[in-house]
Amino acid sequence: MLKIYNTQSGKKEIFTPIEEGKVGMYVCGNTVYDFCHIGHARAMISFDIISRFIRHLGYDLNYIRNITDVDDKIIKRAEENNESTQSLTERMIAAQREDELRLGNKLPDREPKATEFMQEIIDMIQILIDKGFAYQGTTGDVYYRTSKFESYGKLNNRKLDEMLAGARIDVEAAKEHPADFVLWKQTKVGEVSWPSPWGEGRPGWHIECSAMSTNCLGSHFDIHGGGPDLKFPHHENEIAQSEAATGKDYVNYWMHCGAVRVNNEKMSKSLGNFFTVRDVLAKFNPEVVRYLMVSSQYRSAIDYSDQSLNEAKVALERLYTALRDQPMAAEYTPSEYTQRFEEAMKDDFNTAVAISVLFELVRDLNKAKTEAPEKAMTLATELKTLAELLGLLYQDPEYFMQNGTVSEGLSDDDIQRFIEERAQARKDKNFARGDEIRDELAAQGIELLDSREGTTWTRS
């Protein structure tokens, strides 16, 4: 049985889909005004793995992840760049997809944009007004009336007044209550806007997800996910809007991945420890980044640093070394390793334990290479199959060993020429020159590995 930690209940629960054999999952995506950072990568990779394993269990999954393409940040950035909001968002969406594919993710089944659901957003706001859950303030903006939704705060298990204490709440004279939040904003002259019964404007952030999720998956669906910073107020507000509008329970299981910290500090541009995915991939193989994200269970916080990535690279090399020059079986009968791997993943997608099972499999595989070659072939296939559920071991082992990090020094062709020169020197019994070449390469992070089949290399 699959167990999922439900943020709302604060405990693991046995997963029971609303409709047998089918799962609807909505994940809050990015506001596309800048390149993705490593915190975004954590969320994208976490829910990619969750979606892979849900499908592995035989469920028909409909995975929806939205794109927020209208927002104050987008408008401000577009003005700074002297470009249209559409031009900015299209560039950032393309960049996000490029980053995600490089990280080994499979794209969601659908990625709805907020601007594509403007009528649905307006319709939902009108329903909330008609039911008394929303009102138009003196400035023309439309607000949600939080005090009318009696169970407001149930996701975070806190009462309204408790959540307000210490929270950053915009206090405006137009609001009835400090916790009321905007559903529809009046726009300034020249800003992107849409016509509505309340004047030209654009939607608030929270209402976008309520409209998109319920239109894509229905008023009541199985799983809603996102980053750790979305629990309040975004997801709390989504619940209030959606359940008030539809009169139905919104989501059965709320899932939130852990945060990414940098050298044990919160990632922030002001602290100078803010890294985009592109920054990181300029130095490290994308699979190394993915391994770091997968090595901890999705709810755990991750500490990002060059050291942690180097450790991830070493661990991944151990897995790839087991597959290096290892023949594969066409098929295999799942062993205890598959059973234990699946048990770990069924326990709230515990990838940390699942990876430890892979390393036990590797020890058995390495031993079988000399003692039972046929067994080694089936174990190698089993290793590749299980790793694929985590999005790992998809590269050629030889290629990965040579490209675990991105080098600014010697190219592959340069290294190969040195290897050929060294081989000739040794053939000529000029061992001093051979050792000299090895040392020169080692000084530039290139480790040579000699075997009967010849010389291979890795970047250290």
Side-chain angles (χ1 to χ4, degrees):
M1 294 181 292
L2 174 63
K3 293 182 179 180
I4 295 177
Y5 181 88
N6 189 345
T7 303
Q8 185 167 336
S9 67
K11 61 184 180 181
K12 293 179 186 177
E13 300 176 2
I14 295 174
F15 177 68
T16 304
I18 296 169
E19 183 177 352
E20 185 176 356
K22 295 186 177 183
V23 177
M25 181 171 77
Y26 181 91
V27 175
C28 284
N30 297 333
T31 301
V32 286
Y33 70 98
D34 205 346
F35 293 113
C36 295
H37 56 67
I38 56 175
H40 296 141
R42 178 76 197 282
M44 292 190 294
I45 290 172
S46 294
F47 286 100
D48 175 63
I49 290 170
I50 288 167
S51 68
R52 288 174 188 239
F53 193 70
I54 287 175
R55 289 192 170 105
H56 173 72
L57 293 178
Y59 290 106
D60 179 11
L61 172 67
N62 188 7
Y63 174 19
I64 309 295
R65 188 185 65 203
N66 78 293
I67 293 173
T68 297
D69 61 342
V70 55
D71 179 86
D72 290 344
K73 293 178 180 178
I74 292 172
I75 293 170
K76 181 181 178 182
R77 182 61 55 84
E79 289 176 350
E80 292 171 349
N81 293 351
N82 195 28
E83 66 177 322
S84 67
T85 56
Q86 183 178 357
S87 171
L88 172 63
T89 57
E90 287 179 353
R91 285 196 302 109
M92 293 300 104
I93 291 169
Q96 174 183 301
R97 286 176 177 162
E98 180 183 339
D99 289 345
E100 193 162 12
L101 292 172
R102 290 184 68 192
L103 288 169
N105 279 1
K106 297 179 180 179
L107 296 178
D109 296 300
R110 186 178 176 186
E111 291 184 280
K113 300 176 185 177
T115 55
E116 297 171 342
F117 282 76
M118 206 54 60
Q119 188 57 53
E120 289 82 357
I121 291 170
I122 291 171
D123 291 345
M124 180 172 274
I125 295 173
Q126 187 63 62
I127 290 172
L128 291 171
I129 291 175
D130 294 343
K131 288 187 172 184
F133 284 95
Y135 61 93
Q136 189 168 17
T138 56
T139 60
D141 293 346
V142 179
Y143 294 96
Y144 184 89
R145 185 175 279 122
T146 53
S147 59
K148 186 173 175 61
F149 189 69
E150 294 181 358
S151 58
Y152 189 84
K154 64 181 179 179
L155 175 63
N156 291 271
N157 295 301
R158 297 171 67 188
K159 294 181 180 179
L160 179 58
D161 291 339
E162 292 175 347
M163 288 187 291
L164 286 178
R168 295 177 62 183
I169 301 294
D170 293 329
V171 179
E172 299 176 14
K175 294 182 180 182
E176 294 179 355
H177 189 283
D180 292 352
F181 55 90
V182 70
L183 300 175
W184 188 261
K185 294 183 178 184
Q186 299 297 311
T187 52
K188 299 175 184 177
V189 176
E191 289 184 342
V192 60
S193 65
W194 288 262
S196 81
W198 321 286
E200 287 283 328
R202 64 177 182 275
W205 175 35
H206 311 302
I207 193 66
E208 295 175 356
C209 279
S210 286
M212 285 186 281
S213 62
T214 55
N215 274 275
C216 291
L217 295 174
S219 300
H220 183 205
F221 55 93
D222 298 293
I223 299 172
H224 194 314
D229 56 330
L230 299 180
K231 287 184 283 187
F232 180 79
H234 185 54
H235 287 163
E236 197 70 66
N237 291 350
E238 272 193 68
I239 293 173
Q241 296 164 156
S242 304
E243 295 190 358
T246 67
K248 299 178 181 179
D249 288 339
Y250 183 38
V251 173
N252 283 1
Y253 303 87
W254 285 91
M255 302 179 70
H256 295 90
C257 63
V260 175
R261 300 179 66 83
V262 179
N263 294 320
N264 292 313
E265 290 187 310
K266 182 179 179 179
M267 187 173 66
S268 168
K269 287 185 177 180
S270 62
L271 295 175
N273 63 359
F274 183 89
F275 299 98
T276 69
V277 171
R278 296 183 171 214
D279 292 333
V280 180
L281 298 189
K283 296 174 62 178
F284 290 89
N285 185 296
E287 194 173 352
V288 171
V289 180
R290 187 179 185 90
Y291 182 92
L292 175 63
M293 301 296 178
V294 174
S295 60
S296 298
Q297 200 259 5
Y298 76 94
R299 286 190 290 116
S300 302
I302 285 181
D303 188 45
Y304 168 88
S305 65
D306 280 0
Q307 179 181 345
S308 61
L309 283 168
N310 281 320
E311 291 170 355
K313 175 179 176 289
V314 171
L316 198 50
E317 282 178 345
R318 287 178 57 196
L319 298 178
Y320 267 114
T321 298
L323 295 177
R324 205 173 192 179
D325 301 321
Q326 171 59 49
M328 310 283 286
E331 58 184 22
Y332 73 97
T333 301
S335 72
E336 62 167 309
Y337 295 115
T338 294
Q339 179 183 349
R340 289 169 55 205
F341 180 96
E342 291 182 339
E343 287 175 353
M345 292 296 288
K346 287 178 182 177
D347 184 16
D348 194 32
F349 310 97
N350 197 329
T351 54
V353 174
I355 284 181
S356 71
V357 173
L358 297 186
F359 279 105
E360 291 183 38
L361 191 162
V362 163
R363 284 197 292 271
D364 197 3
L365 167 58
N366 289 334
K367 183 178 179 181
K369 286 181 179 181
T370 55
E371 298 180 0
E374 289 189 6
K375 179 182 178 183
M377 292 173 63
T378 60
L379 287 175
T381 302
E382 188 170 16
L383 174 61
K384 282 273 289 184
T385 302
L386 296 179
E388 197 276 334
L389 291 173
L390 304 178
L392 298 175
L393 302 186
Y394 57 86
Q395 302 183 68
D396 175 74
E398 194 68 34
Y399 177 84
F400 175 81
M401 297 298 285
Q402 296 177 2
N403 294 276
T405 55
V406 179
S407 173
E408 296 179 356
L410 297 173
S411 68
D412 293 1
D413 290 341
D414 292 334
I415 296 167
Q416 191 57 43
R417 282 193 290 270
F418 273 114
I419 289 175
E420 291 170 1
E421 181 185 348
R422 177 171 174 264
Q424 186 61 49
R426 296 175 74 185
K427 184 177 180 181
D428 297 339
K429 300 189 183 300
N430 186 358
F431 299 112
R433 176 54 183 159
D435 292 342
E436 191 177 81
I437 292 173
R438 175 187 286 275
D439 293 342
E440 289 175 1
L441 291 174
Q444 298 191 58
I446 308 302
E447 179 184 358
L448 299 184
L449 305 171
D450 294 320
S451 67
R452 292 179 180 178
E453 287 74 29
T455 299
T456 57
W457 57 272
T458 62
R459 296 187 192 272
S460 61

